[in-house]
Amino acid sequence: MELDQRSQFEQATLPHLDAAYNLARWLTRDVHAAEDVVQEAYVRAARYFGSFRGGDGKAWLLGVVRRASCDWLTKQRAQPAALPDDVPDRGDESSNPEVLAIRKCDVALVRQALEELPPLLREVVVLRELEGLSYQAIAAVTEAPLGTVMSRLSRGRRQLQRRLAPDRVGGEA
């Protein structure tokens, strides 16, 4: 890779390293595998950077990460491991123990609810709600029509809402 092309590659992709890892972690459901997947995705992205036509580098890179994650999952053929409990909470770092305990519980509930979503719904929810991608960018990443992205996102949000609803504790079985 030429120096100028390498510089362009780094400018287009390196700012999105955290997003790439986050997506890989949610798709593989394995912290160590996510690191390997992101490394493989960056190798692929560097190899095929000539096909990048500008525009949204984040969406392009996350598409590469998604394909690398799918390849990893195909190779595994086993149920992926769950996420560890050490995923940092990016909220207010209040020193109030009660607030911290409630926040930790809430984070665990949301994490569990996301884990329970079917993979196609989890993928679009993570891309939209955690990574902030537009519907069009999600369509590009997932290689799905815009209407399908919107439908999956709607279904994923509804399922999350049902799983996180306060009345779930008492009434539903």
Side-chain angles (χ1 to χ4, degrees):
M1 185 179 276
E2 300 173 14
L3 185 58
D4 187 42
Q5 188 177 20
R6 180 180 177 169
S7 176
Q8 290 173 351
F9 171 75
E10 289 173 355
Q11 287 177 344
T13 62
L14 287 182
H16 311 298
L17 182 60
D18 288 341
Y21 173 76
N22 193 37
L23 178 62
R25 186 185 51 163
W26 280 108
L27 294 178
T28 63
R29 301 168 83 185
D30 182 300
V31 173
H32 301 293
E35 293 169 353
D36 293 342
V37 164
V38 169
Q39 185 174 10
E40 172 62 23
Y42 266 85
V43 168
R44 290 181 190 182
R47 186 179 316 134
Y48 298 107
F49 188 66
S51 69
F52 177 61
R53 300 290 176 229
D56 189 356
K58 183 176 185 179
W60 180 79
L61 177 64
L62 292 180
V64 176
V65 170
R66 179 182 182 268
R67 286 186 290 283
S69 296
C70 290
D71 290 348
W72 182 86
L73 287 167
T74 300
K75 289 178 187 174
Q76 295 309 304
R77 301 268 187 224
Q79 189 70 345
L83 284 175
D85 292 330
D86 64 350
V87 177
D89 176 15
R90 296 182 183 172
D92 176 30
E93 297 298 328
S94 171
S95 60
N96 181 333
E98 183 178 3
V99 170
L100 290 174
I102 291 169
R103 183 175 300 126
K104 187 173 183 175
C105 185
D106 288 346
V107 167
L109 287 172
V110 171
R111 181 183 299 119
Q112 181 61 39
L114 272 170
E115 293 266 351
E116 292 172 0
L117 288 178
L120 292 175
L121 302 184
R122 184 174 57 242
E123 173 179 67
V124 295
V125 169
V126 167
L127 289 171
R128 178 68 183 159
E129 304 302 341
L130 300 182
E131 295 306 327
L133 265 60
S134 69
Y135 293 169
Q136 294 81 6
I138 295 169
V141 169
T142 61
E143 299 173 346
L146 185 59
T148 301
V149 167
M150 293 168 64
S151 173
R152 288 177 184 168
L153 187 55
S154 176
R155 288 192 339 254
R157 286 174 173 162
R158 273 195 313 268
Q159 286 187 24
L160 277 176
Q161 187 177 30
R162 279 195 300 268
R163 285 177 167 88
L164 296 171
D167 64 345
R168 181 174 184 239
V169 175
E172 287 185 22

